[in-house]
């Protein structure tokens, strides 16, 4: 892999940081597109400004693989109309700028791998088992994901092999949902949310990052994949396993749905919605080997 260049958008986020570590360990050259010209060890940082249609000279040149992780956090702030617009534009306008510059400079990387979301199928799909061929919904997060993937498909139309990884809850101790759920559990306040029966499609961050690398390297990967572990769990089971991993009791009653809706508004669907994904394409079409199949082992790895 020595000499192969991987250009990443959103490289300073939760997934990008771990992915960068694994890529550097494999001998890749890693570069970031960043809104600020910062110094990051072992990474070449190029500036870009989406509003001005600017990407620093040299960023795209000699790029073998492009990984698109950029996007405003869905659960970071309450969903005002302005926030909703940012959630969409931060994903689509960034991809469009990359597309425009690839066309302008006549550059064609070997692969473009884009992040996507399990919410493609809907914010709350109950007990429905969604495979990659299941249709999208028409709620907000589903529509975000549809236009996000459309932006990736526009890059695929240039003849660039494109992979879209529809990701669920990422298990990591560096950020995301688990530290937020583990914080009260550490003090004996672990509690399921809502009914606790809603399904959660999860994946250990190392498996996800290895999936990105496999999608990047393996020419047989193309199109959309449900990037989740083999067996989803309920919110109740996830809470229980977090408490077990931390060796803490779970004794509080469930946090009622109405209370979460009062606090988070429309965004409460992120934690109250049920999402059961089936990793059909990865299981049947690839040789990808998971390192964390059981939830208890995955949580023990990140919480111990």
């Amino acid at each position: 892999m020595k000499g192969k260049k991987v250009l990443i958008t959103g490289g300073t986020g939760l997934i990008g940081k771990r992915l960068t570590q694994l890529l550097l360990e494999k001998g890749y050259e890693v570069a970031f597109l960043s809104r600020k010209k910062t110094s990051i060890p072992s990474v070449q940082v190029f500036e870009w400004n989406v509003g001005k249609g600017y990407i620093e000279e040299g960023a795209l040149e000699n790029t073998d693989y492009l990984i698109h992780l950029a996007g405003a956090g869905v659960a970071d702030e309450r969903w005002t109309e302005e926030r909703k617009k940012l959630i969409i534009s931060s994903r689509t306008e960034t991809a469009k700028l990359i597309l425009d510059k690839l066309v302008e400079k006549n550059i064609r990387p070997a692969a473009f791998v884009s992040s996507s979301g399990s919410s493609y199928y809907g914010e709350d799909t109950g007990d429905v088992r969604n495979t990659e061929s299941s249709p999208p919904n028409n709620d907000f997060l589903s529509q975000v994901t549809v236009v996000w993937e459309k932006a990736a498909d526009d890059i695929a139309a240039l003849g660039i092999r494109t992979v879209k990884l529809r990701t669920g809850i990422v298990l990591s101790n560096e950020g995301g949902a688990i530290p937020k759920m583990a914080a009260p559990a550490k003090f004996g306040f672990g509690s399921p949310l809502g009914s606790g029966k809603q399904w959660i499609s999860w994946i250990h961050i190392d498996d996800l990052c290895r999936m990105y690398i496999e999608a990047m390297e393996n020419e047989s990967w193309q199109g959309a994949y449900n990037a989740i572990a083999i067996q989803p769990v309920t919110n109740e089971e996830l809470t229980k396993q977090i408490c077990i991993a931390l060796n803490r009791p779970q004794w509080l009653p469930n946090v009622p749905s109405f209370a979460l809706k009062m606090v988070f508004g429309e965004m409460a669907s992120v934690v109250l919605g049920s999402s059961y994904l089936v990793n059909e394409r990865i299981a049947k079409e690839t040789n990808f080997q998971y390192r964390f199949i059981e939830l208890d082992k995955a949580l023990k790895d990140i919480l111990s």
Side-chain angles (χ1 to χ4, degrees):
M1 308 310 166
K2 194 170 178 62
K4 294 262 187 177
K5 177 182 172 183
V6 183
L7 181 63
I8 304 176
T9 74
T12 56
L14 176 66
I15 297 168
K17 287 179 180 177
R18 182 59 180 144
L19 178 58
T20 296
Q21 289 176 336
L22 296 180
L23 287 168
L24 291 171
E25 287 172 9
K26 291 196 72 171
Y28 282 100
E29 292 179 12
V30 179
F32 286 177
L33 284 177
S34 173
R35 287 175 297 171
K36 294 180 181 178
K37 192 76 170 176
T38 53
S39 179
I40 300 174
S42 304
V43 174
Q44 191 171 8
V45 179
F46 294 95
E47 194 174 357
W48 69 338
N49 186 312
V50 179
K52 295 180 179 178
Y54 168 75
I55 293 181
E56 185 179 341
E57 201 63 38
L60 291 166
E61 279 73 15
N62 302 313
T63 293
D64 295 286
Y65 304 106
L66 248 166
I67 295 180
H68 184 40
L69 304 174
V74 166
D76 289 356
E77 295 180 22
R78 198 179 178 97
W79 290 352
T80 61
E81 288 306 309
E82 186 178 354
R83 182 66 184 177
K84 283 183 173 182
K85 288 177 184 176
L86 178 63
I87 287 171
I88 294 172
S89 65
S90 62
R91 289 160 169 77
T92 58
E93 294 302 313
T94 46
K96 186 180 183 303
L97 176 57
I98 290 170
L99 170 70
D100 291 343
K101 293 300 181 182
L102 289 174
V103 171
E104 178 188 312
K105 296 177 178 295
N106 194 29
I107 293 171
R108 300 293 185 271
F112 177 78
V113 185
S114 177
S115 177
S116 182
S118 60
S119 53
Y120 174 88
Y121 309 101
E123 294 168 17
D124 185 359
T125 54
D127 292 331
V128 175
R129 270 58 170 166
N130 290 294
T131 68
E132 288 86 354
S133 58
S134 299
N137 207 309
N138 58 3
D139 54 40
F140 171 63
L141 286 185
S142 178
Q143 290 307 299
V144 167
T145 315
V146 167
V147 294
W148 193 1
E149 291 197 4
K150 171 63 169 61
D153 291 339
D154 290 341
I155 289 177
L158 297 179
I160 298 169
R161 182 175 60 83
T162 296
V163 180
K164 299 165 290 188
L165 297 180
R166 294 173 181 162
T167 310
I169 298 296
V170 180
L171 304 192
S172 168
N173 61 354
E174 297 295 326
I178 299 305
K180 293 174 183 175
M181 293 181 73
K186 287 178 182 176
F187 298 99
F189 298 119
S191 180
L193 304 177
S195 70
K197 305 302 182 188
Q198 64 269 39
W199 289 103
I200 293 176
S201 296
W202 62 275
I203 187 167
H204 189 290
I205 190 164
D206 281 4
D207 278 340
L208 177 61
C209 291
R210 290 174 51 248
M211 211 174 274
Y212 268 94
I213 295 171
E214 183 72 14
M216 186 184 84
E217 294 178 341
N218 193 322
E219 293 180 7
S220 68
W221 287 55
Q222 191 151 339
Y225 296 81
N226 287 342
I228 42 86
I230 295 167
Q231 182 59 54
V233 297
T234 62
N235 177 274
E236 191 172 48
E237 181 64 19
L238 176 59
T239 305
K240 175 184 173 183
Q241 290 299 333
I242 287 173
C243 292
I244 290 172
L246 293 170
N247 196 27
R248 294 291 188 273
Q250 180 193 323
W251 58 274
L252 284 181
N254 294 23
V255 179
S257 298
F258 77 85
L260 291 164
K261 289 175 182 175
M262 284 178 62
V263 174
F264 298 110
E266 192 181 354
M267 192 176 73
S269 64
V270 173
V271 293
L272 292 175
S274 182
S275 178
Y276 193 118
L277 269 59
V278 180
N279 64 339
E280 188 169 80
R281 290 197 66 197
I282 287 172
K284 293 182 177 179
E285 300 175 23
T286 79
N287 294 319
F288 184 80
Q289 298 294 313
Y290 288 88
R291 290 183 181 165
F292 297 95
I293 295 173
E294 292 90 11
L295 177 66
D296 57 343
K297 292 179 180 175
L299 288 171
K300 185 178 180 181
D301 180 71
I302 68 170
L303 292 175
S304 61

